[in-house]
C-alpha cells in the first residue's frame, strides 16, 4: 500500500531533524507540499505547508529560501482574497533583497 502524499511528507519532516541539512530539507519538502496543494486548489492546506516552509527557511542562512517562502505564502493569501496580508508579505520579501 502506498502512503498518501501528505503522510509521506509528514514522515519525511519527522525524520528531517535526524538528517544534518540545517533546515533546508524541511524547507524543500514543505514548499513542495505547499505547491502541490496550491495547484490542487487546497489553499488552507497550502497555507499550512508554506508557513512550515517559512519557519524552516528561518533556520537556514538562505535569504532566497525566506524570500521564496514569503512570496509563496503571499500567493495563497491573494488566491484567498486576503490582499492586505499578501501585500505585507510581498513587501517583506522585497525588503530582503
Amino acid at each position: 500500500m502506498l502512503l498518501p502524499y501528505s503522510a509521506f511528507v509528514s514522515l519525511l519532516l519527522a525524520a528531517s531533524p535526524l538528517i544534518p541539512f540545517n533546515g533546508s530539507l524541511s524547507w524543500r519538502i514543505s514548499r513542495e507540499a505547499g505547491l502541490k496543494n496550491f495547484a490542487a486548489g487546497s489553499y488552507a492546506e497550502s497555507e499550512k505547508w508554506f508557513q512550515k516552509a517559512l519557519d524552516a527557511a528561518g533556520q537556514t542562512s538562505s535569504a532566497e529560501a525566506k524570500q521564496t517562502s514569503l512570496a509563496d505564502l503571499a500567493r495563497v493569501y491573494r488566491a484567498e482574497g486576503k490582499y492586505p496580508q499578501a501585500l505585507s508579505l510581498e513587501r517583506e520579501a522585497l525588503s530582503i533583497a
Side-chain angles (χ1 to χ4, degrees):
M1 179 177 135
L2 292 175
L3 283 174
Y5 183 77
S6 60
F8 174 71
V9 169
S10 295
L11 183 63
L12 283 176
L13 286 173
S16 66
L18 305 175
I19 306 169
F21 284 102
N22 197 23
S24 65
L25 180 62
S26 292
W27 179 79
R28 288 183 186 130
I29 293 168
S30 298
R31 181 166 190 261
E32 183 64 27
L35 291 170
K36 287 190 181 299
N37 280 285
F38 186 84
S42 300
Y43 299 133
E45 191 70 13
S46 180
E47 182 179 340
K48 179 181 88 169
W49 285 108
F50 284 145
Q51 184 60 56
K52 287 183 180 189
L54 181 58
D55 295 343
Q59 297 174 6
T60 71
S61 59
S62 173
E64 183 180 352
K66 185 168 184 183
Q67 284 178 315
T68 300
S69 297
L70 288 166
D72 287 339
L73 198 50
R75 187 170 29 166
V76 172
Y77 287 157
R78 277 194 315 275
E80 294 176 322
K82 299 176 182 176
Y83 302 113
Q85 294 95 322
L87 183 59
S88 176
L89 292 179
E90 289 164 345
R91 286 181 175 154
E92 187 178 347
L94 288 172
S95 74
I96 294 172

